Amino acid sequence: MLKYILKRLLHMIPILLGITLISFAVIHLAPGKPTDLMLQLNPKVDFEAREKLNRIYGFDKPLYVQYLNWMKKLSRLDFGKSFIDNRPVIEKIRERLPITIFINVLAMTTIFLLSIPIGIKSAVRRGSVFDKTTTVFVFLGFAAPSFWLGLLLMSFFGVRLGILPVSGIASLDFENFSTLGKIADVSKHLILPVAVASIGGLAGVSRYMRQSMLNVISQDYIKTARAKGLPEKTVIYKHALRNALLPIITILGLSIPGLISGSVILETIFSIPGMGRLMVESVFTRDYNVIMAGLVISALLTLIGNLIADIAYVHADPRIRYKR
Amino acid sequence: MLLKIKNLKIQFTHDGKVMKAVDGIDFEIKENEVVGLVGESGSGKTVTALSIMKLLPTKDCTTSGEIIFEGKDLAISNEKEIRSVRGSKITMVFQEPFTSLNPVMRAGEQIREAIFAHRKISKKEAEEKSISLLEKVKISDPHRIYDSYPHLLSGGERQRVMIAMAIAMRPKLLIADEPTTALDVTIQSEILELLLGLKKDLNMSVLFITHDFGIINKVADRVLVLNGGKIIERGEKKDILSAPKEDYTKKLLLAVPKITFAPGKKEMPGEKSAITAEKLNKTFIIENGIFKKDENRVCAVRDVNLEIKKGRTLGVVGESGSGKTTLGKLLIGLLKPDSGSIRYSRKTAFASGIQIVFQDPYSSLDPRMRMQDIVLEGLTISGVNKEKKESVLRDVLFKVHLNYKNRMKYPHQFSGGQRQRIAIARALAVNPEILILDEPVSSLDVIIQKEILNLLRELQKEFCLTYVFISHDLRVVEYMADNVAVMQKGEIVELASRDEIYRSPKHPYTKRLLSSVL
């Protein structure tokens, strides 16, 4: 197992190199430079001053030299400084990343905890009212764009009912609360964002779970289990579930990139100071260093998520664990 | 009377259409007897077996009639009562050992569970009992099997584990649903011996479901013949086998392949050779991971030499994993040999001179192509014009006895036998000299099997075709082949004329194969 993990970690190196190259290329190919905001939009700045500023930031050098310089710094885990406020990028990300990861972990947990029982139940009672209701829900969940759903939920729970806060992750007077009050306050703020982040995945995964379960239930070994005289509960939860979960593990791993990119929209709607919003702001201001750092870090998170999913898969399926 | 079934009817509803799977059958099983239930696929034999244990799906399936077991009607028993019978008094062994064990649970755990379902004992006791059960089903290394996951076991071992589970609670009735069909011949006879021995030891009755009269002859006391959901004939085994009354039973009995020791055609001097292979080798390397650290080498074909004369049939016999399919693929060029050479009589041998027909007509035809497109695809690729193709289509469909009117239909609209005819028509369309037939009748019912075999013989006679006939069934090979090659672990251990192989086999493996044939 250890050998397998090491191997997979080694595999990640070329992938990461590719990611840095693509992140770099995409950003530099896009029109506009960070200095444009300071210079071109300001008629008072003369040509020489522009040249000077470009030289300071290194934009006068050929692209590959810029890339190598950036990589040199990156290898020391130095993401450079933000062009906007001159703070180290790593510091800005450190402020924002935990919030995004926290919301995504909560969303993943919600998806996992809800979709699996839903999938099982609709598979076991195929064609029942419960199954049909969830089918409709799944269609809606798949079809509804998250920004629209977010706004709808905000207007209903936040404005009409007035029971949930609609933006940020804490109240303005957060500092004055007791520890318990603080937890309650943050949880209240997180309900809507986590709900919106989970709903798409919830719809998808519960559907996959249903399909996978239906598939497993028709297998011969389920017939064997029943023929042994086992109670139906044991047949479903011991024999069928373990097999049905195998494909779900892969699907959860695959849904990680979706969650991360979903954060961009989610955090913008709910004004959550997370990575997603930092990225959007940085794109608007052409804050190269922040964007590239953000891309590299979210790619890394995706890779790690997939690795965890694969390890879980190997652990869950003896056919892979013990080869003949 | 152990089990009495009265007027059992089972219907499936599919898309509003009602399909009668079992149409009012009655039968009885006495204590300590083996009843053979014979029928072709779709005759309702498996459905009958499942209905006894109430294992049929509750949705879209209606059952009526009485299933009286030890004086109690199981048909009207509730779930809990049924569960106390399932796995303890009535148990079942299924056909496919590869899919009937849970892949994520160790074999031992699955046996233990069969005990726990009916008796509260400690884990330690259950483990000891499971090990002793594994010994009872004659597994040589019970502790290793106990701790193994199913995918690490061979087909025979898996079927023994299934049997161990089935006899755990000393059942009164064991239902064996084609328990040996998926196994190699040598293993088949071992499993049958085992079942008969256990039946004696445990004083149980067995309902033995099969399509094979050879097996019936070996195991059954009484026989029921099922056709179209009805029992059309019943009686003592010797009566049915020696003097069947119904036409269908006669047909079924006649279709069962038998070794007849009929003399083969003598080889004439000066016959031209169609295909010659020298020192063929093929090794498969199974790589684990990209760094190629640990690789498994499987030698599928080792130093194979053979020659087939034009218009003759070489039978290739062997058990699963013996390399016979790999040999077939090498001969047609679907695989490249690691070393060795193959020579064909015609220079342009490849695409059109040599063709292949696969085992499973259900998966070897593209489900989204029409029959005529499947048959003519070889010609379409070589750019033959429309009129020519049309005449070829008429011609080959006539040869394989398929109706030209059905040319626009898709594969799923044909029966298994018809599909295999399509596969043969497809091969013949390009006018080949050699046909590789890789288990062409193994997945077909006996009657259809016979029809296809006769068709192949007809075609060979008429067009002087050369066959490589690959099969695990020595009975079928005897019917087809002029020469026989016996393969074991990638090597041809014996290659001789049919008469020699069947009348005076030399290699011990050939002898063993022949002795396991029923």
Side-chain angles (χ1 to χ4, degrees):
Chain A
M1 190 58 142
L2 203 71
K3 213 171 132 196
Y4 172 78
I5 296 173
L6 261 165
K7 235 186 225 181
R8 288 290 309 267
L9 285 174
L10 279 175
H11 275 192
M12 278 163 72
I13 295 170
I15 299 175
L16 268 177
L17 277 176
I19 288 166
T20 59
L21 193 65
I22 291 170
S23 312
F24 186 86
V26 162
I27 285 154
H28 284 80
L29 284 174
K33 277 189 207 145
T35 46
D36 289 353
L37 271 187
M38 298 177 236
L39 306 173
Q40 256 152 17
L41 302 176
N42 189 346
K44 281 186 204 148
V45 180
D46 62 19
F47 182 75
E48 268 162 39
R50 280 183 206 182
E51 287 294 290
K52 200 176 159 194
L53 205 58
N54 273 339
R55 213 161 34 238
I56 291 172
Y57 285 123
F59 295 139
D60 55 336
K61 299 202 179 80
L63 268 185
Y64 72 92
V65 178
Q66 290 186 41
Y67 175 68
L68 287 179
N69 284 339
W70 178 61
M71 283 303 288
K72 221 183 277 167
K73 281 206 235 157
L74 198 62
S75 61
R76 296 191 300 262
L77 287 178
D78 177 6
F79 288 103
K81 283 182 177 171
S82 164
F83 296 131
I84 303 303
D85 49 15
N86 227 11
R87 286 173 59 205
V89 170
I90 195 82
E91 202 176 278
K92 287 182 96 161
I93 288 176
R94 206 179 287 147
E95 281 168 12
R96 306 288 195 100
L97 191 62
I99 300 169
T100 302
I101 291 185
F102 186 56
I103 291 178
N104 279 329
V105 167
L106 279 181
M108 283 291 265
T109 318
T110 316
I111 292 172
F112 203 76
L113 288 182
L114 287 179
S115 61
I116 288 169
I118 290 174
I120 295 171
K121 210 171 169 193
S122 40
V124 173
R125 300 194 196 158
R126 183 156 67 141
S128 66
V129 177
F130 178 83
D131 184 27
K132 281 175 185 150
T133 321
T134 48
T135 307
V136 173
F137 162 78
V138 163
F139 269 114
L140 293 178
F142 253 147
S146 62
F147 67 88
W148 175 81
L149 199 68
L151 292 175
L152 211 70
L153 289 176
M154 273 158 93
S155 89
F156 186 70
F157 288 103
V159 182
R160 173 99 43 107
L161 297 181
I163 50 170
L164 288 174
V166 293
S167 74
I169 53 158
S171 304
L172 292 172
D173 49 355
F174 184 70
E175 293 303 322
N176 306 334
F177 292 161
S178 61
T179 319
L180 224 70
K182 280 181 182 168
I183 294 173
D185 187 55
V186 173
S187 325
K188 241 177 157 180
H189 278 85
L190 286 180
I191 290 176
L192 287 183
V194 170
V196 173
S198 332
I199 209 123
L202 189 61
V205 176
S206 64
R207 205 67 192 162
Y208 282 123
M209 187 65 206
R210 176 182 183 272
Q211 205 46 51
S212 170
M213 199 71 187
L214 281 177
N215 208 344
V216 168
I217 285 177
S218 66
Q219 296 293 317
D220 283 350
Y221 53 81
I222 297 301
K223 223 183 278 164
T224 308
R226 288 202 178 114
K228 279 186 209 172
L230 296 175
E232 193 60 19
K233 259 199 182 133
T234 317
V235 174
I236 298 295
Y237 290 98
K238 194 170 171 194
H239 284 263
L241 183 59
R242 282 183 62 186
N243 283 286
L245 277 179
L246 294 176
I248 301 302
I249 296 172
T250 313
I251 285 163
L252 282 175
L254 290 174
S255 66
I256 294 169
L259 279 176
I260 291 176
S261 59
S263 302
V264 174
I265 298 168
L266 193 78
E267 288 171 8
T268 311
I269 307 170
F270 287 102
S271 323
I272 294 168
M275 267 296 273
R277 226 179 64 188
L278 178 67
M279 288 294 283
V280 177
E281 288 162 4
S282 309
V283 169
F284 286 139
T285 53
R286 301 285 185 274
D287 197 346
Y288 282 4
N289 283 342
V290 179
I291 307 172
M292 291 191 297
L295 285 176
V296 170
I297 285 172
S298 32
L300 193 65
L301 284 179
T302 306
L303 286 178
I304 291 172
N306 282 339
L307 179 63
I308 293 173
D310 285 354
I311 291 170
Y313 194 95
V314 172
H315 186 75
D317 192 344
R319 280 165 295 187
I320 296 179
R321 216 176 337 147
Y322 305 94
K323 292 228 174 74
R324 266 189 106 118
Chain B
M1 198 60 60
L2 185 66
L3 178 77
K4 193 169 182 151
I5 289 192
K6 275 192 209 157
N7 199 21
L8 179 70
K9 287 183 181 169
I10 303 165
Q11 289 184 341
F12 289 97
T13 327
H14 191 73
D15 289 337
K17 267 183 245 162
V18 177
M19 206 270 291
K20 281 184 187 169
V22 174
D23 193 10
I25 63 172
D26 305 85
F27 68 90
E28 291 161 357
I29 298 175
K30 293 189 209 88
E31 258 121 49
N32 219 352
E33 77 168 341
V34 181
V35 174
L37 186 58
V38 196
E40 293 184 280
S41 49
S43 61
K45 48 193 201 307
T46 296
V47 176
T48 306
L50 290 174
S51 75
I52 296 171
M53 291 178 87
K54 278 191 129 177
L55 283 172
L56 288 169
T58 43
K59 214 168 166 270
D60 303 328
C61 173
T62 46
T63 311
S64 70
E66 289 171 40
I67 302 165
I68 297 160
F69 179 74
E70 292 189 319
K72 200 167 171 190
D73 189 356
L74 296 182
I76 51 167
S77 299
N78 64 29
E79 184 64 27
K80 211 178 155 195
E81 287 168 325
I82 285 288
R83 250 195 357 250
S84 68
V85 175
R86 270 186 204 158
S88 70
K89 287 183 174 157
I90 308 179
T91 57
M92 200 160 172
V93 176
F94 297 101
Q95 173 174 358
E96 266 296 336
F98 290 90
T99 55
S100 49
L101 290 172
N102 192 332
V104 301
M105 279 167 76
R106 291 175 202 271
E109 197 184 345
Q110 299 191 47
I111 302 173
R112 230 164 48 209
E113 208 183 36
I115 304 168
F116 281 142
H118 302 282
R119 198 184 291 161
K120 299 249 176 307
I121 51 172
S122 73
K123 203 176 157 189
K124 187 106 202 303
E125 281 174 285
E127 184 174 335
E128 277 162 16
K129 186 155 193 272
S130 308
I131 299 279
S132 80
L133 283 168
L134 286 171
E135 280 163 359
K136 219 179 221 162
V137 296
K138 300 193 176 116
I139 275 180
S140 51
D141 190 359
H143 289 274
R144 178 183 65 88
I145 305 291
Y146 185 85
D147 283 323
S148 295
Y149 284 99
H151 70 280
L152 299 168
L153 309 180
S154 71
E157 283 169 338
R158 287 185 220 201
Q159 204 59 305
R160 283 172 205 269
V161 170
M162 277 297 288
I163 294 170
M165 274 166 22
I167 59 164
M169 304 309 294
R170 297 187 140 257
K172 292 276 171 54
L173 173 65
L174 175 76
I175 302 173
D177 187 0
E178 307 236 15
T180 58
T181 309
L183 302 172
D184 278 325
V185 273
T186 49
I187 316 277
Q188 258 183 28
S189 57
E190 282 173 28
I191 295 284
L192 288 181
E193 295 290 343
L194 174 70
L195 280 172
L196 285 179
L198 288 170
K199 181 232 151 202
K200 234 176 243 158
D201 291 351
L202 302 172
N203 284 325
M204 58 183 182
S205 304
V206 179
L207 176 62
F208 204 106
I209 297 169
T210 181
H211 65 274
D212 189 338
F213 264 110
I215 292 176
I216 288 292
N217 189 20
K218 192 163 181 187
V219 300
D221 301 319
R222 279 194 305 126
V223 182
L224 310 167
V225 182
L226 202 58
N227 184 24
K230 286 191 170 122
I231 293 178
I232 54 152
E233 188 162 5
R234 64 181 80 208
E236 296 297 314
K237 171 179 75 183
K238 56 178 193 311
D239 298 340
I240 298 263
L241 288 180
S242 57
K245 290 189 189 71
E246 294 292 319
D247 286 346
Y248 178 76
T249 316
K250 284 178 198 159
K251 210 168 141 196
L252 212 55
L253 270 167
L254 271 178
V256 173
K258 278 183 210 70
I259 293 181
T260 56
F261 303 106
K265 285 179 281 176
K266 279 263 149 36
E267 197 167 310
M268 303 293 173
E271 277 184 53
K272 272 193 203 147
S273 103
I275 190 166
T276 326
E278 267 169 31
K279 292 219 164 206
L280 280 187
N281 274 292
K282 180 77 194 173
T283 303
F284 290 109
I285 296 170
I286 301 155
E287 285 165 14
N288 299 327
I290 297 169
F291 293 104
K292 295 185 184 175
K293 281 264 168 61
D294 29 62
E295 47 180 41
N296 285 318
R297 284 169 176 275
V298 180
C299 195
V301 168
R302 185 179 304 173
D303 284 331
V304 163
N305 298 304
L306 52 86
E307 184 186 16
I308 309 165
K309 297 276 196 264
K310 201 167 179 322
R312 296 284 186 168
T313 301
L314 174 73
V316 180
V317 194
E319 296 187 279
S320 49
S322 61
K324 52 192 197 307
T325 292
T326 308
L327 177 63
K329 285 187 180 166
L330 286 173
L331 290 178
I332 192 180
L334 282 173
L335 287 172
K336 281 220 155 56
D338 297 333
S339 64
S341 67
I342 305 169
R343 265 175 294 129
Y344 306 92
S345 60
R346 271 206 285 197
K347 282 230 167 90
T348 52
F350 266 74
S352 62
I354 180 162
Q355 285 294 319
I356 190 162
V357 175
F358 294 102
Q359 171 175 0
D360 188 355
Y362 291 86
S363 58
S364 61
L365 303 177
D366 187 335
R368 291 186 213 296
M369 276 171 82
R370 293 181 194 280
M371 185 254 261
Q372 66 167 16
D373 299 328
I374 292 173
V375 171
L376 295 176
E377 199 179 14
L379 296 179
T380 311
I381 288 167
S382 37
V384 173
N385 69 31
K386 233 179 170 181
E387 290 87 63
K388 176 86 204 294
K389 280 202 301 196
E390 192 62 32
S391 77
V392 170
L393 183 68
R394 276 179 191 278
D395 188 41
V396 290
L397 291 188
F398 178 75
K399 280 183 198 165
V400 301
H401 312 303
L402 277 173
N403 196 335
Y404 178 74
K405 277 189 199 135
N406 292 331
R407 66 190 186 282
M408 299 304 276
K409 284 188 181 169
Y410 289 94
H412 71 269
Q413 293 169 292
F414 294 95
S415 69
Q418 285 172 325
R419 281 186 230 203
Q420 205 57 310
R421 285 170 197 270
I422 297 175
I424 294 168
R426 184 203 57 77
L428 291 179
V430 291
N431 196 20
E433 211 168 62
I434 304 162
L435 275 190
I436 311 276
L437 303 158
D438 189 358
E439 304 256 12
V441 295
S442 304
S443 54
L444 303 173
D445 278 321
V446 277
I447 293 176
I448 316 287
Q449 202 173 351
K450 192 85 177 188
E451 283 173 19
I452 297 287
L453 291 177
N454 286 337
L455 171 72
L456 287 169
R457 284 194 2 171
E458 246 171 62
L459 291 170
Q460 179 169 43
K461 222 185 214 165
E462 211 176 324
F463 305 103
C464 196
L465 290 166
T466 308
Y467 289 159
V468 177
F469 191 92
I470 300 168
S471 179
H472 69 278
D473 191 336
L474 280 95
R475 304 171 297 184
V476 173
V477 169
E478 198 216 14
Y479 189 65
M480 296 297 293
D482 299 307
N483 290 308
V484 179
V486 181
M487 282 190 85
Q488 187 190 23
K489 290 177 187 156
E491 282 178 278
I492 292 185
V493 293
E494 191 165 358
L495 171 59
S497 72
R498 179 175 86 194
D499 295 2
E500 274 175 63
I501 291 276
Y502 283 84
R503 290 182 189 177
S504 51
K506 298 209 172 52
H507 196 274
Y509 181 68
T510 316
K511 287 180 191 163
R512 213 173 93 216
L513 277 181
L514 276 166
S515 71
S516 6
V517 173
L518 302 161

